[in-house]
Amino acid sequence: MKFKSNNISTPCSRALDNVTILWTGPGKVATKQFAKMSRKSEITVAQYDAGYLFTAMKPIGINSIEELSAVLKFLEKQHRALVIRGAPDSDEIIGRPVTRTGSGEGIDFKGNFRTPEAGRHYIEIDVDKYGLPIGLKLTSRNLQQICEHLVQLLPPEFHSASFHWQLSSSAGVFNKIRVSIHLWFWLTSPVPDTALKSWAKHVNSAAGISLIDASLFQHVQAHYTAAPIFIGMPDPFPIRSGFTTKKSGSVDLQLPSPDAAIYTLGSLGNATFKSSEGQGFDYFLGRIGDHTGGDGFHRPIVQAAASYVADKGAEGTDIKVLHSTIRQRVLNADASKHSPADIADRASDAQIRSAIDSAMRKFGNSANQRRKSRRIEGLSAHFQGDYQDVSTIQDSLDAILNSVF
């Protein structure tokens, strides 16, 4: 497969990076479906049902954030497509149904898809249900402002870099004061998945919120790229994605040193955590302190720990990260109404660990119940057009992307 970049036809093997596209099997879809059977009926949701067998397409060679954006815009209309970071471990699996498997590193790797040892040039930052600041609603008019607000929460090297953005499937359907969005950036140099996971933990700890989903940085984690399907109701965002051009075309990612605890909080340690909804981990974290709108220390510490564990569950809770995040917030909060001795006590391991242990006992298993997929009976897959065989899909993909590049 060849693609044109700057009027040069570049073979995929000589591109700076590649994108792996997986195609779901017949009757499966890699996006959510929303349906409203009548004007007065409630909206029903059919969750992702991509199945377990996928056809790996030939990897697509890309050289920049602009080319990556063009691929993502194309995939947005393909309800059966998704992206993974891993590349086919063998040419023999391309074009035939295989399982989406890949685990371990180096000689311990097992599966069908593996991320290159050097990593990828591109990175997706998946922001999930972020509580928008008071006064900022999720509307088409505010999308650019929202994107910029989120980018400014990232480390400084992201602030002047171009990016591709895409709203998640459920954005705006039920809630206008929280946003779920995917932000794609191009890195100056490829970065291995293990390094990205460590980096994500440091950034989240510094920000005091789960801003970056580190689970994306592995061989076969699905990067959902298809727009949602709406039946009997309009899409609240007919334009669900876009490209923002800035001064730089890439991000010179600054990785933390091996012995670094967390990034410096800086400007992220203030009221950016306050949620307009009045609930959630980031909101309670923002309530810690004596500032206007604050609630002191003991109560919001307990609430923040409970909110985090209730959302992540026992298995998903990284106690060290949670402990460090709360402690850092306590130490950086306005303490004008408390003595240094009080703050030292509130920031102590005993006080914070007590709040976390209590949260684990009360809410450690609650997230598992809420996260079960809601399968709506009677709502079948809705596709535009008939199913096609693999060769037809590949030919169509080649033709469209060649015309784009």
Side-chain angles (χ1 to χ4, degrees), residues 337-355:
K337 299 179 182 179
H338 288 75
S339 68
D342 287 335
I343 300 306
D345 181 57
R346 297 305 182 191
S348 67
D349 290 344
Q351 289 287 336
I352 297 176
R353 188 55 190 258
S354 175

mmCIF file of all heavy atoms in Angstrom, residues 337-355:
data_model
loop_
_atom_site.group_PDB
_atom_site.id
_atom_site.type_symbol
_atom_site.label_atom_id
_atom_site.label_comp_id
_atom_site.label_asym_id
_atom_site.label_seq_id
_atom_site.Cartn_x
_atom_site.Cartn_y
_atom_site.Cartn_z
ATOM 1 N N LYS A 337 -6.921 28.654 57.721
ATOM 2 C CA LYS A 337 -7.687 28.467 58.942
ATOM 3 C C LYS A 337 -7.175 27.299 59.785
ATOM 4 O O LYS A 337 -7.825 26.892 60.754
ATOM 5 C CB LYS A 337 -9.162 28.240 58.606
ATOM 6 C CG LYS A 337 -9.814 29.401 57.874
ATOM 7 C CD LYS A 337 -11.269 29.102 57.551
ATOM 8 C CE LYS A 337 -11.926 30.237 56.765
ATOM 9 N NZ LYS A 337 -13.343 29.944 56.423
ATOM 10 N N HIS A 338 -6.036 26.740 59.408
ATOM 11 C CA HIS A 338 -5.477 25.606 60.137
ATOM 12 C C HIS A 338 -4.016 25.871 60.465
ATOM 13 O O HIS A 338 -3.315 26.574 59.725
ATOM 14 C CB HIS A 338 -5.587 24.315 59.302
ATOM 15 C CG HIS A 338 -6.986 23.799 59.185
ATOM 16 N ND1 HIS A 338 -7.938 24.380 58.363
ATOM 17 C CD2 HIS A 338 -7.606 22.751 59.782
ATOM 18 C CE1 HIS A 338 -9.070 23.707 58.449
ATOM 19 N NE2 HIS A 338 -8.900 22.727 59.308
ATOM 20 N N SER A 339 -3.558 25.270 61.544
ATOM 21 C CA SER A 339 -2.170 25.417 61.963
ATOM 22 C C SER A 339 -1.292 24.436 61.184
ATOM 23 O O SER A 339 -1.783 23.438 60.644
ATOM 24 C CB SER A 339 -2.048 25.136 63.459
ATOM 25 O OG SER A 339 -2.297 23.760 63.723
ATOM 26 N N PRO A 340 0.019 24.700 61.131
ATOM 27 C CA PRO A 340 0.930 23.749 60.475
ATOM 28 C C PRO A 340 0.832 22.346 61.068
ATOM 29 O O PRO A 340 0.959 21.354 60.349
ATOM 30 C CB PRO A 340 2.305 24.372 60.724
ATOM 31 C CG PRO A 340 2.027 25.841 60.831
ATOM 32 C CD PRO A 340 0.712 25.927 61.552
ATOM 33 N N ALA A 341 0.597 22.271 62.375
ATOM 34 C CA ALA A 341 0.473 20.957 63.015
ATOM 35 C C ALA A 341 -0.768 20.221 62.503
ATOM 36 O O ALA A 341 -0.736 18.999 62.295
ATOM 37 C CB ALA A 341 0.407 21.116 64.536
ATOM 38 N N ASP A 342 -1.879 20.976 62.301
ATOM 39 C CA ASP A 342 -3.101 20.361 61.773
ATOM 40 C C ASP A 342 -2.861 19.791 60.372
ATOM 41 O O ASP A 342 -3.292 18.671 60.060
ATOM 42 C CB ASP A 342 -4.225 21.401 61.702
ATOM 43 C CG ASP A 342 -4.767 21.763 63.067
ATOM 44 O OD1 ASP A 342 -4.638 20.931 63.984
ATOM 45 O OD2 ASP A 342 -5.309 22.880 63.213
ATOM 46 N N ILE A 343 -2.181 20.564 59.523
ATOM 47 C CA ILE A 343 -1.933 20.123 58.154
ATOM 48 C C ILE A 343 -1.016 18.903 58.126
ATOM 49 O O ILE A 343 -1.221 17.964 57.357
ATOM 50 C CB ILE A 343 -1.330 21.275 57.322
ATOM 51 C CG1 ILE A 343 -2.295 22.456 57.283
ATOM 52 C CG2 ILE A 343 -1.012 20.808 55.907
ATOM 53 C CD1 ILE A 343 -3.693 22.103 56.792
ATOM 54 N N ALA A 344 -0.004 18.922 58.988
ATOM 55 C CA ALA A 344 0.894 17.765 59.067
ATOM 56 C C ALA A 344 0.127 16.509 59.458
ATOM 57 O O ALA A 344 0.387 15.413 58.944
ATOM 58 C CB ALA A 344 2.015 18.046 60.066
ATOM 59 N N ASP A 345 -0.842 16.669 60.354
ATOM 60 C CA ASP A 345 -1.662 15.529 60.780
ATOM 61 C C ASP A 345 -2.559 15.045 59.652
ATOM 62 O O ASP A 345 -2.676 13.844 59.404
ATOM 63 C CB ASP A 345 -2.502 15.928 61.994
ATOM 64 C CG ASP A 345 -3.351 14.773 62.500
ATOM 65 O OD1 ASP A 345 -2.784 13.703 62.823
ATOM 66 O OD2 ASP A 345 -4.585 14.939 62.552
ATOM 67 N N ARG A 346 -3.194 16.012 58.932
ATOM 68 C CA ARG A 346 -4.103 15.639 57.840
ATOM 69 C C ARG A 346 -3.346 14.980 56.690
ATOM 70 O O ARG A 346 -3.910 14.139 55.974
ATOM 71 C CB ARG A 346 -4.836 16.875 57.316
ATOM 72 C CG ARG A 346 -5.748 17.553 58.335
ATOM 73 C CD ARG A 346 -6.759 16.604 58.923
ATOM 74 N NE ARG A 346 -7.658 17.273 59.850
ATOM 75 C CZ ARG A 346 -8.497 16.645 60.657
ATOM 76 N NH1 ARG A 346 -8.538 15.330 60.674
ATOM 77 N NH2 ARG A 346 -9.283 17.338 61.470
ATOM 78 N N ALA A 347 -2.082 15.382 56.498
ATOM 79 C CA ALA A 347 -1.288 14.826 55.400
ATOM 80 C C ALA A 347 -0.520 13.576 55.807
ATOM 81 O O ALA A 347 0.199 12.996 54.986
ATOM 82 C CB ALA A 347 -0.308 15.883 54.893
ATOM 83 N N SER A 348 -0.691 13.139 57.028
ATOM 84 C CA SER A 348 0.056 11.973 57.505
ATOM 85 C C SER A 348 -0.432 10.689 56.842
ATOM 86 O O SER A 348 -1.575 10.584 56.392
ATOM 87 C CB SER A 348 -0.084 11.846 59.028
ATOM 88 O OG SER A 348 -1.431 11.523 59.384
ATOM 89 N N ASP A 349 0.455 9.708 56.795
ATOM 90 C CA ASP A 349 0.098 8.408 56.218
ATOM 91 C C ASP A 349 -1.078 7.784 56.960
ATOM 92 O O ASP A 349 -1.973 7.185 56.344
ATOM 93 C CB ASP A 349 1.297 7.461 56.281
ATOM 94 C CG ASP A 349 2.398 7.873 55.329
ATOM 95 O OD1 ASP A 349 2.118 8.689 54.425
ATOM 96 O OD2 ASP A 349 3.535 7.395 55.488
ATOM 97 N N ALA A 350 -1.103 7.935 58.260
ATOM 98 C CA ALA A 350 -2.160 7.306 59.062
ATOM 99 C C ALA A 350 -3.530 7.863 58.706
ATOM 100 O O ALA A 350 -4.501 7.099 58.535
ATOM 101 C CB ALA A 350 -1.872 7.510 60.543
ATOM 102 N N GLN A 351 -3.633 9.205 58.587
ATOM 103 C CA GLN A 351 -4.927 9.828 58.303
ATOM 104 C C GLN A 351 -5.428 9.470 56.897
ATOM 105 O O GLN A 351 -6.581 9.099 56.711
ATOM 106 C CB GLN A 351 -4.808 11.340 58.448
ATOM 107 C CG GLN A 351 -4.647 11.831 59.874
ATOM 108 C CD GLN A 351 -5.938 11.724 60.676
ATOM 109 O OE1 GLN A 351 -7.032 11.708 60.126
ATOM 110 N NE2 GLN A 351 -5.815 11.649 61.992
ATOM 111 N N ILE A 352 -4.572 9.595 55.912
ATOM 112 C CA ILE A 352 -4.990 9.347 54.532
ATOM 113 C C ILE A 352 -5.247 7.861 54.304
ATOM 114 O O ILE A 352 -6.234 7.475 53.656
ATOM 115 C CB ILE A 352 -3.938 9.880 53.550
ATOM 116 C CG1 ILE A 352 -3.823 11.400 53.692
ATOM 117 C CG2 ILE A 352 -4.299 9.512 52.115
ATOM 118 C CD1 ILE A 352 -2.749 12.021 52.830
ATOM 119 N N ARG A 353 -4.395 7.021 54.853
ATOM 120 C CA ARG A 353 -4.585 5.576 54.681
ATOM 121 C C ARG A 353 -5.867 5.117 55.354
ATOM 122 O O ARG A 353 -6.557 4.210 54.858
ATOM 123 C CB ARG A 353 -3.387 4.821 55.238
ATOM 124 C CG ARG A 353 -3.409 3.321 54.916
ATOM 125 C CD ARG A 353 -3.532 3.075 53.422
ATOM 126 N NE ARG A 353 -3.791 1.694 53.124
ATOM 127 C CZ ARG A 353 -2.861 0.845 52.698
ATOM 128 N NH1 ARG A 353 -1.610 1.259 52.527
ATOM 129 N NH2 ARG A 353 -3.178 -0.401 52.434
ATOM 130 N N SER A 354 -6.220 5.740 56.476
ATOM 131 C CA SER A 354 -7.456 5.394 57.158
ATOM 132 C C SER A 354 -8.662 5.683 56.262
ATOM 133 O O SER A 354 -9.602 4.871 56.176
ATOM 134 C CB SER A 354 -7.579 6.175 58.459
ATOM 135 O OG SER A 354 -8.829 5.936 59.085
ATOM 136 N N ALA A 355 -8.631 6.837 55.576
ATOM 137 C CA ALA A 355 -9.734 7.197 54.674
ATOM 138 C C ALA A 355 -9.816 6.229 53.500
ATOM 139 O O ALA A 355 -10.912 5.825 53.082
ATOM 140 C CB ALA A 355 -9.541 8.627 54.178
#
